[in-house]
Structures are given as C-alpha cells and as structure tokens.
Amino acid sequence: AEGWGFARFELRGAKDWTFTTRDNLFPPATPLVYSSTLAGLQLNLPDPNFTNSLHAQVTHLMMGLVNNETRPGDPNHYPLNWLRDGAYAIVALARAGQLDVAKQLCRPFAEHDFFGGFGSEADGPGLALWALDEVAARLRDREYDRWLWPHVQRKARLILEMLTAAEPLRKPYFG
C-alpha cells in the first residue's frame, strides 16, 4: 500500500538470466530526468571488477535520491534533503559522468544556504559552493553560470559574515 515491494529469486546453475519488471500502477518517484543509472564514463581497464564497482556505486547513489533531494542514508530514516552529504553525492555523480542528474540536484544547494537535519551549520555555504562549482566547471554553460552567480555571491557574503562574527550567528534553515 505504501508503494514498496520485495522479491527474491533463487537462480541456480550456470545460466544467464534476464528479468524485466514493470509497474504501471505508480508514477515515477522522481522528477529527475536521466537515461541510465550507470557511470557515464568509458573505462578500459584490465580488471572489469573495477568498472562494475564504479557502476554499482553510481547506481547506489542514485537509488538514495528522493525527488530532487539527496538523503544521507535510508530515505525512510532521513526524510529530507541534507546539505553536507548531498554535496558529496552531487560531486561524486558529476565526476562519474552523471552530470545532468548532478545539475538537477543543484537547485536547492544554490537557493538555500542551510538545510538538513541539524539546522544552520557553518560549513553549509562552503560545501554548497564546492558542489555547485564542480558541476558548473563540467557543464561549461554560460546560462547556468548566470543563474548561479547571485547565489554564489550571497553564499560568499555569508561566509565573510561568519569569518568576522564577534558573537554567535543564528541563521534560518530549510528542513
């Protein structure tokens, strides 16, 4: 009833198996647009296990996305977007060739300065800038850079405010 399902298949023998699942009852759980959950890199390595591991890691990161949110763990236990962990996930996806997905995840990282389960943490704006820059540098898209620039300026001013603070700062957060 909650949209979850579980199946277990025991496959015996040295045979290749192919399974296709279809679920027409529920709309896609994400507004993210992507054509594959694999790494977008072409690797030519002597050990195919390395390539398989990379693909599995990228797929695992994408399985943890809910809508356009990065969650730091099981989405059932972390019900909201998380800045620190999300910055690492966005950078990993961008570096692994899932640049379109990484770009789609960037909007809340640009528009909100603090979010996640612990309130307004001082490292938030810097981590967001790092993730946003990693994506922007790979995109090389002037329109995206123009959209991003006011957010970069605001976050930089916020970091300067924190660096020169003479007393504790209290900032609003989202989440």
Side-chain angles (χ1 to χ4, degrees):
E2 290 84 35
W4 288 89
F6 176 85
R8 180 177 176 174
F9 300 95
E10 287 191 33
L11 308 176
R12 297 174 190 219
K15 182 177 177 183
D16 289 337
W17 297 87
T18 302
F19 292 92
T20 303
T21 60
R22 290 185 179 83
D23 182 358
N24 297 328
L25 299 176
F26 298 100
T30 179
L32 297 174
V33 177
Y34 56 91
S35 59
S36 172
T37 60
L38 303 177
L41 305 174
Q42 298 295 321
L43 303 176
N44 183 10
L45 302 170
D47 185 353
N49 289 323
F50 184 86
T51 303
N52 292 338
S53 175
L54 175 64
H55 288 311
Q57 291 174 52
V58 171
T59 299
H60 188 257
L61 279 173
M62 291 182 64
M63 287 186 330
L65 303 175
V66 177
N67 294 318
N68 68 337
E69 296 177 347
T70 57
R71 308 282 178 93
D74 180 345
N76 285 324
H77 297 281
Y78 296 93
L80 44 93
N81 207 7
W82 215 277
L83 198 150
R84 182 180 298 116
D85 303 77
Y88 285 100
I90 287 172
V91 170
L93 289 168
R95 289 180 179 180
Q98 281 287 356
L99 190 54
D100 288 338
V101 171
K103 177 184 176 185
Q104 293 172 72
L105 294 170
C106 281
R107 180 170 291 280
F109 285 75
E111 293 176 347
H112 303 290
D113 296 321
F114 301 104
F115 57 90
F118 298 137
S120 52
E121 298 176 287
D123 62 346
L127 283 169
L129 285 172
W130 169 61
L132 295 166
D133 178 62
E134 287 283 331
V135 172
R138 285 168 175 75
L139 280 175
R140 298 174 190 248
D141 179 344
R142 288 186 187 273
E143 184 177 321
Y144 180 78
D145 291 345
R146 275 192 291 278
W147 169 80
L148 187 57
W149 185 241
H151 300 294
V152 169
Q153 290 177 307
R154 185 187 70 253
K155 289 178 188 302
R157 284 192 303 268
L158 186 53
I159 291 170
L160 290 173
E161 180 184 357
M162 288 187 285
L163 284 171
T164 59
E167 58 186 44
L169 294 174
R170 304 276 186 245
K171 296 293 181 182
Y173 66 93
F174 184 81

